[in-house]
Amino acid sequence: MSFDGMFTHAMVNELNQNLSGGRISKIQQPFANELILTIRSNRKNRQLLLSAHPSYARVQITDQPFANPAKPSTFVMSLRKYITSAIVQDFKQLNNDRVVSIDLSAKNELGDIHDYILTIEIMARHSNIFLINKETGKIVDLIKRVSPENNSFRGLLPGDDYKLPPAQNKINPFSTNNENLKGLSAGDIRQKYEGIGLDTSAELEQYIASGKTLDDFMDAYQNGLHPNTATSNDKHKLGFFPVAFVNTTTKANTYTNLSELLDNYYVDKARLDRIEQQTKSITHRLDIILKKDKSKVKKLNKQLNQTDVMAKYNLYGELLTTYMSKIERGSSSITLTNYYNNEDVTIKLNPEYSPSLNAQSYYKKYRKLQNSIPHIKEQLEITTNEVNYLESVLASLEYVDIEDVDGIVEELIDSGYIKKKRKNAPKKRKKKLGENFQSSTGVEIIVGKNNLENDQLTMKLSQKNHYWFHVKDIPGSHVILKTSEPDEQSITEAATIAAYYSKARDSSKVPVDYVQIKNIRKPNGAKPGFVIFEGQKTILVDPDRQLVAGLKENK
């Protein structure tokens, strides 16, 4: 199911159980559409994520790490002014809609207590987060300000009266009396009841097919949640009913609560979106260069194919020189016998040229093509290497974590693809080299997160008898298994990590090459991350997120 009203209802219950009575200790806005409130509750700090993202809007507790931007946004400054140290009184849902309100009680500078409401509206591209003064009903601030010209229904600026989004005039399923829905289709259910999404209505339709009532469904929903992600018809879906209930389910993962479910469900989607926000201008520039390079490779290959006629031009020159006495001046063509195979060959001539000039013309074409081949091959190699390099950089942005983006930017600066920031920019903290894991049998594994790290790990820091892993013929990270005598389990796990940190992350049966580092070398002048090797073996593995996470925890 999607994050519909039913899911929102269950999430509000979970938030009340974990965060009600807690105190807000920290407020961050790590990305344009996302707010993080650190809430101290039951002697534990928990991060509450409020997202107004157009595609991934949601509210949940999250365990994902978030960096605090150096400069807080205007919205964060307003929140810090009014609700820092505020007490979380309650989480409420508007009927069964995807609108969640958090009642807050905060003291001002004079010690007076004021009540506020932090409201998140989950409405796709219209999603928004509001801080509302409960006493006046006015908007203190909001994460997305909208001018009156773009929204005539209600004011969406600080100081406007807060007005609820347009009502759907549907029935709240939590306020009905033992209603029998037998005979209603999934579409009818969605039209009649508020907050029931496409997947939920399909599950409800199956549930009531046997004559059960809506109340039966609501009781099962209230008392038997089973958070899961189920793959059904090649689609990855959220769920909170037992997986066996969905007949088309082929694969499922279960979780202890809804927040853990969302962290796992959105981990790649949100990560890619955040990376895209940070690197949009860079990837745009790389895409332009890559497009030009691919076009150049195509042209160079075409030029190289044209050199196939080189031998023919040389033959024509030879035949015209040999049979020059037979050529009549002013002829446009002549048919001569090829003395290499005794076949007749028709050769075009320039009527304005003498027989000798015609022969020299073909020799000239032959020499021009002959001289161009080394240059074409050289340019083809250079451009192909650049294409491979740029594809590897763009691919790495699909599987690295948000904190690894700085390393990729540094790599592009060193390689001359983007300009270095001005000298007075704040210095970035030096980060550890690579990502560390440990196999089930205790062998250390390390992964390069960009091409500069790949070079460092493979060519400088690893021992010659250690083992190197990389997906076969696909952009990906270098993975080092730090042992000279690896066991089969460690080999499989290192290969799984290599497949996971590659462009083949979402594939299955991924071929991974592995070889001792002594059999690897880096050609002079090669792009970062590029190596050649021999004597490798290949293993097929599935990129398993849970296995990789477990190996990381081992470390």
Side-chain angles (χ1 to χ4, degrees), residues 42-84:
N42 298 320
R43 299 181 180 180
K44 184 177 180 181
N45 287 330
R46 290 184 171 91
Q47 292 185 130
L48 176 64
L49 167 64
L50 304 177
S51 174
H53 191 281
S55 300
Y56 315 127
R58 63 197 187 279
V59 54
Q60 66 166 108
I61 298 169
T62 180
D63 290 328
Q64 299 298 317
F66 293 92
N68 195 14
K71 185 177 180 181
S73 67
T74 303
F75 184 51
V76 166
M77 293 296 289
S78 294
L79 294 179
R80 289 175 179 174
K81 177 179 178 181
Y82 292 103
I83 63 171
T84 295

Side-chain angles (χ1 to χ4, degrees), residues 361-378:
S361 175
Y362 279 109
Y363 278 131
K364 187 176 180 180
K365 289 179 180 179
Y366 163 72
R367 286 192 294 271
K368 184 177 180 181
L369 289 175
Q370 186 182 45
N371 292 334
S372 71
I373 289 177
H375 175 73
I376 294 173
K377 287 184 175 180
E378 180 186 6

Side-chain angles (χ1 to χ4, degrees), residues 332-355:
S332 59
S333 66
I334 187 171
T335 300
L336 301 173
T337 301
N338 180 355
Y339 40 73
Y340 291 110
N341 56 18
N342 292 323
E343 293 180 358
D344 288 340
V345 177
T346 299
I347 304 173
K348 289 184 178 181
L349 301 174
N350 188 333
E352 297 180 0
Y353 286 0
S354 66

Side-chain angles (χ1 to χ4, degrees), residues 30-166:
F31 303 100
N33 299 310
E34 294 178 335
L35 184 70
I36 296 290
L37 303 180
T38 302
I39 299 176
R40 182 76 176 175
S41 177
N42 298 320
R43 299 181 180 180
K44 184 177 180 181
N45 287 330
R46 290 184 171 91
Q47 292 185 130
L48 176 64
L49 167 64
L50 304 177
S51 174
H53 191 281
S55 300
Y56 315 127
R58 63 197 187 279
V59 54
Q60 66 166 108
I61 298 169
T62 180
D63 290 328
Q64 299 298 317
F66 293 92
N68 195 14
K71 185 177 180 181
S73 67
T74 303
F75 184 51
V76 166
M77 293 296 289
S78 294
L79 294 179
R80 289 175 179 174
K81 177 179 178 181
Y82 292 103
I83 63 171
T84 295
S85 298
I87 301 298
V88 177
Q89 302 288 357
D90 193 19
F91 289 84
K92 297 176 182 177
Q93 180 186 19
L94 176 64
N95 299 321
N96 197 42
D97 204 352
R98 294 186 301 169
V99 177
V100 177
S101 297
I102 310 171
D103 287 338
L104 302 171
S105 178
K107 290 183 180 180
N108 63 13
E109 296 89 342
L110 301 176
D112 299 326
I113 296 176
H114 292 275
D115 293 327
Y116 296 93
I117 302 172
L118 191 61
T119 298
I120 175 170
E121 298 177 352
I122 302 172
M123 302 186 301
R125 64 189 181 90
H126 298 295
S127 298
N128 215 329
I129 304 171
F130 303 81
L131 178 64
I132 304 161
N133 186 316
K134 191 173 183 179
E135 297 158 9
T136 64
K138 292 188 178 294
I139 299 172
V140 177
D141 209 341
L142 65 169
I143 201 167
K144 295 179 184 177
R145 299 183 180 188
V146 182
S147 64
E149 294 82 8
N150 296 323
N151 186 5
S152 59
F153 178 77
R154 58 178 179 162
L156 292 175
L157 291 173
D160 289 333
D161 291 326
Y162 176 72
K163 186 178 180 180
L164 290 170

Side-chain angles (χ1 to χ4, degrees), residues 264-420:
N264 282 272
Y265 182 78
Y266 286 111
V267 62
D268 277 336
K269 296 180 178 68
R271 177 182 56 81
L272 289 173
D273 180 75
R274 292 162 186 158
I275 289 174
E276 183 182 355
Q277 289 180 43
Q278 283 201 355
T279 62
K280 193 171 184 179
S281 61
I282 295 172
T283 54
H284 178 67
R285 174 171 171 76
L286 296 185
D287 282 334
I288 291 173
I289 298 172
L290 187 58
K291 186 177 180 180
K292 289 180 179 178
D293 281 347
K294 286 184 174 180
S295 177
K296 186 176 179 180
V297 167
K298 191 175 180 180
K299 289 177 182 177
L300 289 170
N301 278 318
K302 186 177 179 180
Q303 291 175 12
L304 197 59
N305 291 335
Q306 289 175 347
T307 62
D308 293 343
V309 301
M310 184 174 66
K312 183 170 67 173
Y313 290 158
N314 187 46
L315 174 64
Y316 289 175
E318 284 186 20
L319 295 178
L320 291 177
T321 301
T322 303
Y323 298 110
M324 195 170 293
S325 59
K326 293 184 178 182
I327 304 172
E328 294 183 5
R329 194 178 185 92
S331 298
S332 59
S333 66
I334 187 171
T335 300
L336 301 173
T337 301
N338 180 355
Y339 40 73
Y340 291 110
N341 56 18
N342 292 323
E343 293 180 358
D344 288 340
V345 177
T346 299
I347 304 173
K348 289 184 178 181
L349 301 174
N350 188 333
E352 297 180 0
Y353 286 0
S354 66
S356 176
L357 278 177
N358 271 297
Q360 291 302 315
S361 175
Y362 279 109
Y363 278 131
K364 187 176 180 180
K365 289 179 180 179
Y366 163 72
R367 286 192 294 271
K368 184 177 180 181
L369 289 175
Q370 186 182 45
N371 292 334
S372 71
I373 289 177
H375 175 73
I376 294 173
K377 287 184 175 180
E378 180 186 6
Q379 288 300 308
L380 186 59
E381 182 181 4
I382 291 171
T383 311
T384 301
N385 287 341
E386 183 168 63
V387 167
N388 293 335
Y389 172 71
L390 292 175
E391 286 182 337
S392 74
V393 172
L394 290 170
S396 67
L397 291 172
E398 296 179 14
Y399 56 80
V400 299
D401 295 324
I402 189 70
E403 59 267 23
D404 300 311
V405 171
D406 287 344
I408 294 175
V409 172
E410 181 186 343
E411 173 189 333
L412 292 170
I413 291 172
D414 290 348
S415 300
Y417 288 99
I418 59 176
K419 291 182 179 179
K420 191 173 183 178

Side-chain angles (χ1 to χ4, degrees), residues 244-263:
F245 183 70
V246 185
N247 296 330
T248 55
T249 297
T250 56
K251 183 181 179 182
N253 293 314
T254 58
Y255 304 92
T256 57
N257 55 60
L258 297 177
S259 290
E260 182 186 353
L261 160 64
L262 293 179
D263 262 354

